[in-house]
Every structure is written in structure tokens, then in C-alpha cells.
Amino acid sequence: MTAEQNTVHNEELSVVDSLITESSTTQDEVARMCAGMILDGQLAVLQRQLHADFLKIPTSFQLPPNYTGLDASKPWLIYWPLHALEILDPDNQTDDILSRIGPSIMACLNELEGAFGGGNGQTAHLAATYASLNALAISRDEQVWSQINREGLYKWLMSVKLPDGGFSMHIGGEEDVRAVYCALASAALLNIITPELTEGTAEWISRCQTYEGGIGGAPGNEAHGGYAFCGLAALCILGNPVEMIPKYLDVDSFVHWLSARQYQPEGGFSGRTNKLVDGCYSWWVGGCWSILEGVLPWITSKDVLWSKADLQKYILYCCQSPRGGLRDKPGKSSDFYHSCYVLSGLSEVQHRYSFRPKLRESKSGEWSFMWTYELESPDIVIIDEQNVVGPLNPVHVLPAGVGERMHDFYAALGTLEL
Ligand SMILES: CC(C)=CCC/C(C)=C/CC/C(C)=C/COP(=O)(O)OP(=O)(O)O
Ligand SMILES: [Zn+2]
């Protein structure tokens, strides 16, 4: 598309956007809207520069006023755009941006508790700790890595571990499968996984699988894509995924539920039964597919369970905001959260991941980093070569190689007495 065509098209899309409001959107309207955009096909090209410009807003550390509601999410506001920028194009990460991550994240460390909060002086929280460590992994800042008190962080993780095997998001906070994932992913990056930390946790995740086949936030809760990813990825950190997934999940019903998440004609995924498609599930649900395809390829290859080409169409034609950034669906504004997970979904459909069941050399011997990838064949998903984004680590949701490097840094420091 030429720049001129693009401008005209963006104007058309703005009109369309203004016709749809969140409150009145029904499944039929979304389906019609998306079908029109897919047939129209004008947004077949990933608007790299437009998205990069949008994503670079927070790197000035001057967030627009409408971000005040996210005051407790500062580490996320650093991790989301940085991850998205890097898979869009590694050259987006300038030394200037990378060198400012460390001090900004370390300002969120609650030194009394030993883990990260959502902002300066805030209570230590598992979601903030996960986002902080992911952002620090992207920084490649070994000087900052060496300042992290891993014993202190381990003690805090043990303080949010619950007797039933689960974790709570903060001391006295809610117990859910997000907490399990955030705790284990953080511990894996820091190489501080111990048998005490993981005791009973796989069994607890198993209790979150519902009658539908998906995974709910806690035992007895409705299955949801976000929690499904957290549960599945956590199992991959707890042991060899090839053994853990079939041992703790009913894989057939999980795959059945996952397959039902893709809608036609949109091609995008919903997060749960009878809800609308949303671009962020391109990752939460798509990430489950990448893990399953990588770990149990004999299961996912036996039938056509979902269409990679159709998901890619939903992402490109319906989730690119003409104003830059990625979004839930036509009519919604873009934001950093959706940019991160929609682009991760795009990366996921474009790459075929494989998991090699071989222990990494480390004290804890976790498995989560043994991922390799290759580009999917163009006739399956690559609508245009210009649309290719970089590969990921599908368990940590980090650009490929980034989490591995942080883990190896700590592994090389030798055994920690925990
Ligand atoms: C690592 C980490 C913190 C992961 C978070 C995972 C995640 C996205 C969980 C989703 C939680 C949830 C029930 C959303 C439903 O929202 P909704 O009712 O607005 O959306 P819906 O209609 O699509 O279900
Ligand atoms: Zn969403």
C-alpha cells in the first residue's frame, strides 16, 4: 500500500471506528465488521513504523494523563511496549531506551518486602514482579541484574506460597493461576526454583481445569484463555513439559476447548464460551497452541484444529489501529497491552516452535528455555514478507533468547543457598 492509499484507508477506518461503540457491539456486528475488513483486505501490511511510533510513547517516561489509572502497573507499561517494539524490529531498542529500563524498574522495588510493586513505594505484587523481571531481561543490563537480591526475592515468593500448592498475588491477596505463573516465571529467570517453592503446585493447576476443558483462574471458576495460558506455561516450568502436560491436564478436552475459541468469519479468538473475539487472545489462546504444538506435536497435527492463516488475517486486517498500535477489535482504541499480546500472537502464528526435552545445566534444572523455532511456510501464514515479526520464548513471552540470557547470567553465578 502506498502512503497515499494508506492515508485514505485510515480515514475510512476512522469512520468505521466511530460507528461502533463498545456498549452496543454484538457478536453479529463484530462478525460483519471483521468480515468486511478481511474481504477489503487493505490492511494486509503490518504498519511497522506507525506501531513503533505509538509504542515509543512511554520510553519518554511522560505518559499521557489517561494512563493515571495504571499507576499500579508501571512495570507493565515498560514491559509491554518494549517487548512489542523488539519483536517488531530489534533495531527499535536503542541503547538509550535499554539503559533507562533498569533505574525505572528498580524504583518499583519494595526493599522491605523483597519484590517489585506496581510503582514507587507500592506493595510487592506477583504481577508487578513478573513484568519487572521481564523488562529487566529485555534491558540486558547485567549491572542491574547483579543488584537484585535473589535470596530476598525467594523469601518473598515463599511468603506468597499457600499450603494448598497455589500462590496469592501479594501477601493476603487473591489466589489464582496468574499468581502461579508469575511466581514460577520469575523464579525461572532468577534461577531460584526449589522443590519447596513448587511443592503441590502442579496438582493445584490440575484442579483449575474445568468441565469444558479449559483452565479457570482457580478451582471451580470458568475456563478462560488468560488463565489457560498461565496454567499451561506454568506446567512447562514445573518439569519436562512432555510429561507434565499429559500428567496434569486432560489434553483432549483442553485441545477441544482451545479449538472452540476460534470464530468464523472473524478468524480471531475469544477468551471464553459465548464471548466476543479479542485481539489479545491471539496470544493467551495462541500461546497455548504454540506450547502444545512444540511439546506434543503428534496431538496437534492429527486434525485441523485451528487456522493460522485466519488468525493472521484477523490480526492484520482488524487489529491494527490506523492511529498506531494494536487493538482488541475494530472500534476499540489501541493500547500497550493489546500491542504486546496481538503482536505476540502474530509472532506465534508465523513461527513453529519445538521443545527439546533436555535439561539445561542449572541448579534447579528447569525446562522452560529449551525452545527452538523456525519460520512457518509462507503458503500457510505469511501473507506478505514485510509482515514477519521476530520469534519468542512461548513460556516467558519474551523475545527469543532474552530470558535465556538472564537465566544463564544467574546460573553462572553458582549455587545459591536457599
Ligand atoms: C501474566 C498475567 C498477569 C496474565 C493475565 C491473564 C489474563 C488476560 C487473564 C484474563 C482475566 C479475565 C477473566 C478476563 C475477562 O475479562 P472480560 O470479561 O473483560 O473479557 P472477555 O469477555 O473476553 O472474557
Ligand atoms: Zn483484550
Side-chain angles (χ1 to χ4, degrees):
M1 200 174 343
T2 64
E4 197 184 341
Q5 281 171 324
N6 201 25
T7 312
V8 172
H9 191 236
N10 287 350
E11 280 164 12
E12 285 167 4
L13 286 179
S14 301
V15 174
V16 161
D17 276 5
S18 65
L19 291 176
I20 297 191
T21 61
E22 186 179 350
S23 54
S24 68
T25 308
T26 65
Q27 173 64 53
D28 278 356
E29 283 165 346
V30 175
R32 262 200 306 277
M33 181 66 230
C34 293
M37 294 184 84
I38 291 166
L39 271 180
D40 174 47
Q42 289 215 43
L43 274 179
V45 174
L46 182 65
Q47 304 293 310
R48 259 176 229 279
Q49 193 54 49
L50 200 64
H51 301 323
D53 290 345
F54 173 80
L55 291 163
K56 279 182 182 164
I57 296 171
T59 58
S60 69
F61 295 93
Q62 288 177 339
L63 292 168
N66 60 342
Y67 277 89
T68 50
L70 290 168
D71 184 56
S73 302
K74 283 182 185 157
W76 288 105
L77 292 174
I78 297 173
Y79 159 64
W80 287 327
L82 285 168
H83 170 72
L85 276 167
E86 182 152 343
I87 58 170
L88 264 179
D89 179 358
D91 288 343
N92 282 326
Q93 310 286 43
T94 60
D95 286 347
D96 174 49
I97 292 177
L98 295 183
S99 68
R100 284 186 296 153
I101 299 173
S104 305
I105 292 290
M106 293 309 271
C108 298
L109 181 66
N110 181 322
E111 286 182 27
L112 272 180
E113 291 194 79
F116 295 88
N120 192 330
Q122 295 185 20
T123 303
H125 194 280
L126 268 173
T129 297
Y130 165 81
S132 293
L133 292 171
N134 272 9
L136 289 181
I138 293 172
S139 78
R140 284 99 164 150
D141 194 334
E142 296 192 358
Q143 234 185 329
V144 175
W145 293 354
S146 61
Q147 288 167 26
I148 293 180
N149 175 351
R150 288 187 296 150
E151 289 94 337
L153 211 140
Y154 176 79
K155 276 197 192 121
W156 182 80
L157 286 178
M158 286 304 289
S159 75
V160 286
K161 175 87 196 281
L162 298 170
D164 65 2
F167 285 82
S168 57
M169 292 303 288
H170 56 94
I171 294 175
E174 69 275 29
E175 178 186 33
D176 62 37
V177 74
R178 275 176 320 158
V180 168
Y181 169 66
C182 291
L184 296 177
S186 302
L189 285 184
L190 297 176
N191 193 32
I192 53 172
I193 291 181
T194 64
E196 294 74 38
L197 189 72
T198 57
E199 194 185 346
T201 303
E203 289 78 3
W204 190 86
I205 295 171
S206 181
R207 291 176 52 215
C208 297
Q209 185 169 27
T210 78
Y211 70 95
E212 287 189 284
I215 298 175
N221 288 8
E222 181 185 9
H224 192 280
Y227 298 126
F229 172 77
C230 290
L232 190 68
L235 285 176
C236 296
I237 302 174
L238 283 165
N240 180 352
V242 179
E243 289 158 14
M244 296 299 280
I245 295 174
K247 181 167 175 197
Y248 291 101
L249 292 179
D250 176 339
V251 176
D252 279 354
S253 70
F254 187 71
V255 163
H256 183 268
W257 175 84
L258 217 50
S259 187
R261 302 278 57 76
Q262 189 167 36
Y263 292 178
Q264 295 297 352
E266 300 97 303
F269 294 147
S270 71
R272 48 183 163 148
T273 308
N274 288 331
K275 299 298 300 265
L276 304 179
V277 291
D278 176 340
C280 64
Y281 301 126
S282 307
W283 176 258
W284 300 119
V285 172
C288 290
W289 282 127
S290 61
I291 290 176
L292 286 180
E293 285 177 359
V295 173
L296 308 169
W298 52 93
I299 288 178
T300 52
S301 63
K302 69 183 177 205
D303 273 313
V304 180
L305 298 167
W306 66 292
S307 164
K308 294 188 181 201
D310 288 349
L311 178 62
Q312 184 169 271
K313 282 183 192 158
Y314 179 68
I315 292 173
L316 290 170
Y317 300 148
C318 304
C319 294
Q320 297 197 74
S321 165
R323 297 170 199 89
L326 288 295
R327 62 188 176 188
D328 163 345
K329 58 173 68 62
K332 294 285 183 90
S333 304
S334 54
D335 57 58
F336 302 140
Y337 163 83
H338 284 92
S339 298
C340 171
Y341 294 112
V342 173
L343 286 173
S344 296
L346 184 61
S347 165
E348 185 276 317
V349 293
Q350 292 173 347
H351 298 88
R352 181 168 291 275
Y353 293 92
S354 6
F355 178 77
R356 284 179 294 136
K358 186 171 159 231
L359 265 177
R360 249 178 125 73
E361 281 189 30
S362 72
K363 177 191 172 232
S364 50
E366 72 272 17
W367 300 84
S368 57
F369 292 120
M370 298 305 300
W371 295 90
T372 59
Y373 58 86
E374 59 189 71
L375 208 55
E376 274 289 357
S377 80
D379 56 321
I380 299 181
V381 289
I382 316 295
I383 295 171
D384 189 300
E385 244 175 53
Q386 300 171 62
N387 296 335
V388 177
V389 296
L392 299 172
N393 176 309
V395 168
H396 287 269
V397 205
L398 279 169
V402 162
E404 290 83 337
R405 183 164 157 178
M406 190 178 192
H407 170 274
D408 290 351
F409 171 84
Y410 290 116
L413 295 182
T415 309
L416 202 65
E417 285 313 318
L418 295 171

